Amino acid sequence: SSAASDVYKRQAADTARLLATLPVRLDHGALPPPPSDAFTPVRASIIGGWLVVLLGTGTVVVLLLWSMALSERRAAFVSTVTHELRTPLTTFRMYTEMLGEKMVESKRDRYIATLRTEAERLGHLVENVLAYARIENDKAERTRETLTVQALIDQVTPALRGRCEASDTELEVVLDEASLARTLEVDSAAIEQILLNLIDNAAKYAPSSEGRTRMILETLLDGRQFRIAVRDFGPGIPTGERRKIFEPFSKAKRDEAGTKPGVGLGLALCRRLARAHGGELSVEDAKPGARFVVTLPSQPS
């Protein structure tokens, strides 16, 4: 009976592989082994596809974040510049109307002085915005000349003293004799613009506790690097805010809610100009106050 059972089972298995209408039996042979953990072409294609999807998604996210940041910067620029332009324009309109109607003859000289100050402020703002835009678009003119430190100081000092006098600021110039003969390859107008911005910032944000604002312009050597610094005697810059103040349209926290004029573009522009010369702009503690240092490459005379 056991032998008969085995024969019956074989016949049943053979019948299962017979086609329904043809007397043909299918023989599929040995089944392939199950897939192992080896890196097969199919798996490589699947992994490659997922990597492409992830890379594309990451690129889209980065572009969206960049677009949002750019939109925020543009909104901040428009808002800040509009506010800064509106203030002097309002002053111009009001004072010129009163002067034209001869309503304030007794205060004529004072009003004219105020108009001159607002005009200088407006011109300084426009100059900074245009200079920053040229640098952002890589269209800044790079006209450099080779001159000594002494010649550079002689060129920029009159404009710095004039700006200090306009803001009732005392400027002391301290020169390192060893640095005066060093040779620089710079755009003197750009260096002057950097120093004017630093002096304006010190006059606005770092008034001295002694009453009249005081600052020091100093030069010194650090190896082959020439350093020119503007030091004020104000409250200084907290360590945690030193990176932020060099970002476009940023101010220190204590000045953000204040009424001090400015769009927060001066230090960003100064750092860009310094780096365009192969140098750097940084801030240090002066105790009291802060020291903004422009570092430029120099050569012995």
Side-chain angles (χ1 to χ4, degrees), residues 264-286:
L265 196 59
L267 290 178
L269 172 62
C270 291
R271 173 168 277 186
R272 294 286 185 100
L273 291 174
R275 289 179 174 177
H277 283 78
E280 185 57 90
L281 173 64
S282 58
V283 59
E284 304 171 349
D285 280 327

Side-chain angles (χ1 to χ4, degrees), residues 133-172:
R134 286 194 295 267
I135 291 178
E136 283 280 277
N137 295 327
D138 197 24
K139 294 181 179 179
E141 297 180 1
R142 295 179 175 87
T143 305
R144 300 187 185 181
E145 55 185 331
T146 301
L147 69 170
T148 63
V149 171
Q150 180 68 69
L152 176 64
I153 296 299
D154 291 342
Q155 284 187 26
V156 304
T157 300
L160 302 182
R161 291 194 182 280
R163 187 65 60 86
C164 288
E165 291 175 2
S167 59
D168 193 25
T169 302
E170 177 185 351
L171 177 64
E172 179 182 354

Side-chain angles (χ1 to χ4, degrees), residues 33 51 54 63 65 70 86 117 184-185 187 189 194-195 198 225-226 252-253 258 271 282 290 293:
L51 289 177
L54 292 176
L63 288 176
L65 293 176
L70 181 61
R86 184 182 294 116
T117 301
L184 305 172
E185 186 179 349
D187 178 357
I194 293 174
L195 298 176
L198 296 179
Q225 301 290 321
F226 167 68
K253 288 184 178 179
R271 173 168 277 186
S282 58
V293 182

